C-alpha cells in the first residue's frame, strides 16, 4: 500500500492540556470543596498546577508506568491529577470509594498503587484498610495545611504543602501514544473487580469523538455540571473533552443530593448536566418540593442505567430540558451510544419522541456494534430481534489488566454482557443485562422496562424487578418497590397502573414493598443480593 505523508504526532493527554492552556486559558472551573466552600479558578491555573503535580511525582521518584491512585470527588484538584499524573507518563488509577473495603484492598494491591491522593471525606476509608495495603508508599490528602485531619494514617502528607514546593515549569515528555494513561476497575458485582487500562491514544480519540452535537455537545460556549463521578469511568471523559472545547466546568464535589445540586445550578447556571438516573430522581424530587424550575438547563445526559419514561417527560414538561439518553460502560471509556437531538427527533409528536428517547441512541463515530445469538451468529437490525451486544472500536478494552479471563472477547469483539435490540436506523435499545433478563416459559421479559413502567407511578420512589423461580414458567417477575414517605399505595393499585403499560404476561407475580433497595458502587440496583433473597419467593411464599 502507498503510505500517506502526514506527520505522526502522538495523541497524548498532555497535548489536551497544552491546547487548553493556550486556547482556553480563561475557561472557568468551579468546584464545591470537601472543606465546604466554593473554589473557582481558570484553565491556566489548572495547567500550571498540573505541572507542579508532575514535578511532585518526579520528586517522589515515580517512574513512567507507575500507578498513582485517587480517591476523590469531582473537583479541581482531581482535574489537576488527571492531567499531571497521565501527562507525566504515570498511570492514574481512579478508585471508586463506594466499593466494599475488601474490593478497595484488592484493587489497590492488584494495581500496585505507589501513592494515593485522597479527599478529606475518604480518609477514614483508608484508615480502615491501611494495614492491608502495605505496598502503598504514601497517602497525600487533598487539602491545605490548615485542613489536615487528625488521622491514624502513617506516611501521610498534605497536597497543598507539597505542591507549593514544586516548580511551575515542566516539559511534558513525549512517548508512545499507546502507553497506559489511566485505569478504572469495574464494580465487580460477581467476583473481583476487573481492571480496564486506558491508553493516551484511546483517551484522546474518545475525547475528540465525544464533544460534538451528535455526542455530548460540549461546545466552548457551554457550561456543564458533571455529576457522573471522576472516580468511575472518567466522568464520561468530560475532563478531557472540556480541555478540547474550553467549556466551563462546574464540579459538585461531595454535594450529590438534590438541594446541593440545585444550589450550584442556581449559582452557576449550567446548560448541560450529566449523570446517572438516581441522581436526577433526587434532583427532580427536590425541584418538585421547592416548586422551582431548572431555568438554565437545556440538556441532561443520562446514562449508566436506563432513563425511565417519567424522567424524560418530567425534564421536558417541567423544566424544558431535553434528556439525552446515553449508554456505555467502563470497558468502553465509556461512551458507546448517544440519543442526541436530530431533525427527525424534533419533527416527532412529543409522545413519539419520548418513546424514541427511551432508546439508548446511536453509536458515536468509532464504535461498531452488533447483536448475536448464543452461537455468535449476527441477528438482524430490525428493532425486534434481541441478542448479546458485541462492540469494537479504538476506545474499547481488548483484555483486562493482569487477568487471563478472555471469555468476554470474541473474534476481535467485546461482549458487553448486555442484551439489546438494534433498529434499522442503528438505534440501540438495551433490553437488560444478560444475567437480569427474566426467562418466562422460553420468552424474555426485560426487568428494566418493567421497572421503568412501574416507577412512573407517582407514589413510588424506586422499583426493582427480578426473576424468581417458578414451577411452571421457570421464572416470573417479582417487583420490589419503595413507596414515597406516607404513601399507602397497594399492590393492586400498582397492578391497575401497569395494566395498559405492559404486555399482560409481563405482569409481576408478586409486588412487595420494601423500605429501601441495595445499590452497587456505581449507584445501580444490586440485584444479585435480591435474587438470592427472593429467588424462592414464588415457590414457597404467598403472592402479595
Ligand atoms: P459497572 O462498573 O457497574 O459494570 P459500568 O458503569 O461500566 O459499570 O456499567 C455498564 C453497564 O451499565 C452497561 O453494560 C449496561 O448494562 C448499563 N447501562 C449503562 N448505560 C445504560 C443505559 N442508558 N440504559 C441501560 N443500561 C445502561
Amino acid at each position: 500500500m502507498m503510505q500517506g505523508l502526514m506527520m505522526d504526532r502522538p495523541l497524548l493527554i498532555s497535548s489536551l492540556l497544552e491546547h487548553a492552556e493556550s486556547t482556553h486559558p480563561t475557561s472557568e472551573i468551579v468546584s464545591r470543596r470537601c472543606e465546604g466552600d466554593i473554589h473557582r479558578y481558570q484553565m491556566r491555573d489548572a495547567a500550571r498546577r498540573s505541572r507542579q503535580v508532575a514535578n511532585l511525582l518526579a520528586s517522589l521518584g515515580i517512574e513512567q508506568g507507575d500507578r498513582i491512585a485517587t480517591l476523590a470527588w469531582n473537583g479541581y484538584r482531581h482535574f489537576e491529577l488527571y492531567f499531571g499524573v497521565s501527562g507525566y507518563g504515570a498511570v492514574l488509577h481512579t478508585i471508586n470509594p463506594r466499593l466494599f473495603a475488601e474490593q478497595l484492598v484488592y484493587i489497590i494491591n492488584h494495581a500496585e498503587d505507589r501513592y494515593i491522593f485522597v479527599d478529606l471525606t475518604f480518609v477514614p476509608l483508608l484508615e480502615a484498610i491501611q494495614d492491608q495495603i502495605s505496598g502503598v508508599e504514601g497517602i497525600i490528602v487533598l487539602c491545605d495545611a490548615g485542613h489536615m485531619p487528625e488521622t491514624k494514617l502513617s506516611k501521610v502528607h498534605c497536597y497543598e504543602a507539597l505542591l507549593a514546593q514544586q516548580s511551575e515549569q515542566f516539559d511534558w515528555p513525549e512517548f508512545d501514544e499507546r502507553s497506559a494513561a489511566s485505569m478504572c476497575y469495574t464494580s465487580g458485582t460477581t467476583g473481583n473487580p476487573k481492571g480496564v487500562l486506558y491508553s493516551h491514544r484511546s483517551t484522546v480519540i474518545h475525547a475528540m469523538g465525544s464533544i460534538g452535537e451528535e455526542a455530548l455537545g460540549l461546545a466552548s460556549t457551554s457550561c456543564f455540571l458533571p455529576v457522573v463521578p471522576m472516580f468511575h469511568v472518567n466522568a464520561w471523559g468530560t475532563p478531557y473533552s472540556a480541555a478540547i472545547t474550553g467549556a466551563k466546568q462546574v464540579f459538585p464535589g461531595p454535594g450529590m443530593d438534590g438541594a446541593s445540586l440545585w444550589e450550584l445550578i442556581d449559582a452557576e447556571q449550567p446548560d448541560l448536566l450529566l449523570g446517572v438516573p438516581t441522581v436526577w430522581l433526587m434532583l427532580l424530587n427536590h425541584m418538585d418540593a421547592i416548586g422551582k424550575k431548572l431555568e438554565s438547563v437545556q440538556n441532561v445526559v443520562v446514562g449508566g442505567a436506563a432513563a425511565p419514561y417519567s424522567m424524560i417527560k418530567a425534564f421536558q414538561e417541567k423544566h424544558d430540558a431535553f434528556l439525552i439518553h446515553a449508554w456505555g460502560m467502563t470497558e468502553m471509556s465509556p461512551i458507546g451510544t448517544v440519543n442526541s437531538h436530530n431533525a427527525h427527533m424534533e419533527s416527532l409528536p412529543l409522545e413519539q419522541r419520548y418513546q424514541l428517547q427511551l432508546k439508548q441512541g446511536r453509536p458515536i463515530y468509532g464504535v461498531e456494534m452488533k447483536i448475536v445469538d448464543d452461537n455468535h451468529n449476527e441477528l438482524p437490525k430490525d428493532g425486534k430481534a434481541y441478542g448479546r451486544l458485541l462492540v469494537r472500536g479504538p476506545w474499547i478494552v481488548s483484555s483486562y489488566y493482569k487477568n487471563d479471563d478472555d471469555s468476554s472477547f470474541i473474534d476481535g469483539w467485546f461482549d458487553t454482557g448486555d442484551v439489546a435490540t438494534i433498529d434499522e436506523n442503528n438505534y440501540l435499545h438495551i433490553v437488560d443485562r444478560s444475567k437480569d433478563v427474566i426467562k418466562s416459559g422460553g420468552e424474555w421479559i426485560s426487568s428494566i422496562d418493567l421497572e421503568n413502567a412501574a416507577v412512573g407511578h407517582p407514589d413510588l420512589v424506586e422499583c426493582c424487578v427480578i426473576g424468581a423461580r417458578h414451577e411452571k414458567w421457570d421464572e416470573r417477575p417479582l417487583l420490589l418497590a419503595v413507596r414515597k414517605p406516607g404513601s399507602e399505595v397497594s399492590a393492586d393499585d400498582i397492578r391497575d397502573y401497569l395494566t395498559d403499560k405492559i404486555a399482560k404476561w409481563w405482569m409481576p407475580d408478586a409486588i412487595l414493598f420494601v423500605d429501601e433497595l441495595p445499590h452497587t458502587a456505581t449507584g445501580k440496583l444490586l440485584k444479585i443480593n435480591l435474587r438470592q433473597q427472593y429467588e424462592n419467593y414464588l415457590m414457597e411464599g404467598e403472592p402479595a
Side-chain angles (χ1 to χ4, degrees):
M1 279 288 271
M2 187 187 241
Q3 295 288 297
L5 291 173
M6 307 311 280
M7 293 184 189
D8 200 4
R9 298 287 298 143
L11 301 172
L12 299 178
I13 286 175
S14 54
S15 71
L16 297 174
L17 189 67
E18 286 184 318
H19 170 79
E21 185 179 18
S22 52
T23 314
H24 314 293
T26 57
S27 288
E28 245 197 312
I29 299 174
V30 180
S31 316
R32 184 191 289 283
R33 295 203 283 198
C34 297
E35 294 91 317
D37 57 350
I38 300 288
H39 171 272
R40 46 182 81 232
Y41 73 176
Q42 296 178 338
M43 190 62 93
R44 59 178 156 215
D45 303 310
R48 179 175 46 81
R49 283 167 53 97
S50 298
R51 289 193 290 272
Q52 290 180 296
V53 168
N55 281 318
L56 168 59
L57 298 182
S59 74
L60 296 172
I62 300 300
E63 313 245 341
Q64 292 189 339
D66 286 350
R67 271 74 64 206
I68 301 294
T70 57
L71 200 46
W73 299 107
N74 292 7
Y76 67 103
R77 292 182 179 123
H78 208 173
F79 185 81
E80 295 155 9
L81 291 164
Y82 261 56
F83 291 92
V85 173
S86 299
Y88 181 81
V91 179
L92 180 86
H93 171 202
T94 54
I95 302 179
N96 185 341
R98 301 205 182 103
L99 293 173
F100 302 120
E102 349 29 301
Q103 293 178 320
L104 290 176
V105 170
Y106 173 81
I107 67 172
I108 290 168
N109 290 331
H110 189 261
E112 300 171 81
D113 296 327
R114 288 190 60 186
Y115 280 83
I116 304 179
F117 289 79
V118 60
D119 259 344
L120 285 167
T121 320
F122 305 124
V123 167
L125 287 185
L126 289 180
E127 285 174 337
I129 59 169
Q130 72 166 332
D131 297 345
Q132 299 165 71
I133 51 169
S134 51
V136 174
E137 292 161 44
I139 310 276
I140 299 172
V141 185
L142 294 165
C143 65
D144 58 23
H147 288 89
M148 275 301 278
E150 290 238 341
T151 172
K152 294 200 278 294
L153 287 175
S154 52
K155 303 182 279 191
V156 68
H157 311 273
C158 167
Y159 179 70
E160 293 298 342
L162 290 179
L163 219 59
Q165 299 164 11
Q166 308 303 324
S167 160
E168 295 176 0
Q169 305 304 317
F170 185 82
D171 289 331
W172 298 111
E174 270 193 22
F175 41 77
D176 182 352
E177 64 182 19
R178 289 177 175 77
S179 310
S182 64
M183 69 192 308
C184 178
Y185 282 76
T186 63
S187 29
T189 42
T190 50
N192 278 325
K194 288 179 279 192
V196 178
L197 193 58
Y198 308 108
S199 67
H200 284 260
R201 174 187 154 81
S202 70
T203 305
V204 173
I205 301 181
H206 177 267
M208 295 197 303
S210 60
I211 53 183
E213 277 292 307
E214 67 293 341
L216 303 182
L218 290 179
S220 60
T221 48
S222 69
C223 165
F224 73 96
L225 176 86
V227 186
V228 50
M230 291 167 83
F231 60 65
H232 191 65
V233 294
N234 308 320
W236 296 342
T238 54
Y240 308 114
S241 33
I244 297 181
T245 66
K248 173 178 169 183
Q249 301 174 81
V250 182
F251 290 127
M256 311 284 239
D257 59 294
S260 305
L261 288 175
W262 164 241
E263 192 184 271
L264 212 51
I265 293 169
D266 196 25
E268 303 299 329
Q269 302 281 298
D271 51 85
L272 177 68
L273 314 179
L274 306 104
V276 297
T278 27
V279 165
W280 306 131
L281 278 179
M282 289 191 290
L283 179 65
L284 287 169
N285 283 339
H286 179 73
M287 299 313 289
D288 280 350
I290 62 171
K292 292 233 164 92
K293 189 176 164 191
L294 298 165
E295 297 284 355
S296 66
V297 179
Q298 289 166 17
N299 294 298
V300 186
V301 184
V302 181
Y309 171 85
S310 48
M311 184 174 289
I312 298 173
K313 195 174 159 81
F315 270 121
Q316 189 61 55
E317 295 179 14
K318 294 183 181 169
H319 302 283
D320 272 334
F322 183 87
L323 187 148
I324 301 176
H325 200 176
W327 165 84
M329 50 197 314
T330 310
E331 289 90 335
M332 300 176 71
S333 297
I335 303 177
T337 62
V338 183
N339 202 340
S340 50
H341 299 259
N342 58 49
H344 169 65
M345 179 104 75
E346 301 297 339
S347 72
L348 293 173
L350 214 45
E351 234 359 273
Q352 275 181 42
R353 199 187 89 187
Y354 293 157
Q355 291 306 320
L356 185 55
Q357 282 177 272
L358 278 169
K359 296 196 178 197
Q360 280 74 4
R362 298 180 294 177
I364 57 174
Y365 171 73
V367 176
E368 295 170 75
M369 59 183 197
K370 65 178 179 181
I371 45 172
V372 299
D373 65 18
D374 289 343
N375 300 318
H376 303 163
N377 298 313
E378 188 165 354
L379 294 165
K381 293 185 173 180
D382 60 6
K384 294 187 189 72
Y386 48 80
R388 293 186 82 96
L389 176 62
L390 309 190
V391 290
R392 66 178 180 191
W395 57 74
I396 294 169
V397 66
S398 62
S399 64
Y400 291 107
Y401 179 61
K402 289 200 292 187
N403 184 322
D404 296 336
D405 179 4
D406 58 3
S407 57
S408 300
F409 304 96
I410 304 162
D411 299 333
W413 292 77
F414 172 68
D415 184 343
T416 62
D418 285 340
V419 174
T421 66
I422 301 175
D423 72 14
E424 300 80 356
N425 300 315
N426 227 13
Y427 276 94
L428 173 75
H429 179 60
I430 299 290
V431 174
D432 224 329
R433 284 282 229 200
S434 57
K435 56 187 187 303
D436 294 336
V437 73
I438 298 155
K439 301 186 179 88
S440 170
E443 297 281 348
W444 288 12
I445 298 175
S446 159
S447 67
I448 297 183
D449 286 356
L450 251 184
E451 282 158 10
N452 285 344
V455 85
H457 191 289
D459 277 17
L460 299 185
V461 181
E462 197 177 18
C463 292
C464 176
V465 171
I466 50 169
R469 289 174 54 218
H470 191 279
E471 263 168 25
K472 181 166 172 201
W473 301 107
D474 292 336
E475 275 184 1
R476 286 295 301 158
L478 181 150
L479 169 66
L480 299 159
V482 181
R483 284 187 278 224
K484 282 203 176 139
S487 160
E488 292 187 356
V489 68
S490 70
D492 279 340
D493 296 332
I494 306 294
R495 272 189 205 99
D496 287 347
Y497 175 79
L498 286 173
T499 308
D500 60 354
K501 296 184 178 59
I502 55 168
K504 205 168 159 202
W505 64 279
W506 279 35
M507 188 61 79
D509 282 32
I511 298 178
L512 308 177
F513 296 105
V514 291
D515 292 336
E516 57 178 5
L517 289 163
H519 293 96
T520 68
T522 43
K524 297 174 199 184
L525 289 165
L526 190 57
K527 296 195 180 182
I528 190 164
N529 294 12
L530 295 169
R531 262 198 301 269
Q532 280 162 1
Q533 194 178 346
Y534 291 98
E535 70 178 350
N536 290 324
Y537 188 87
L538 299 176
M539 313 283 273
E540 298 154 6
E542 289 291 311

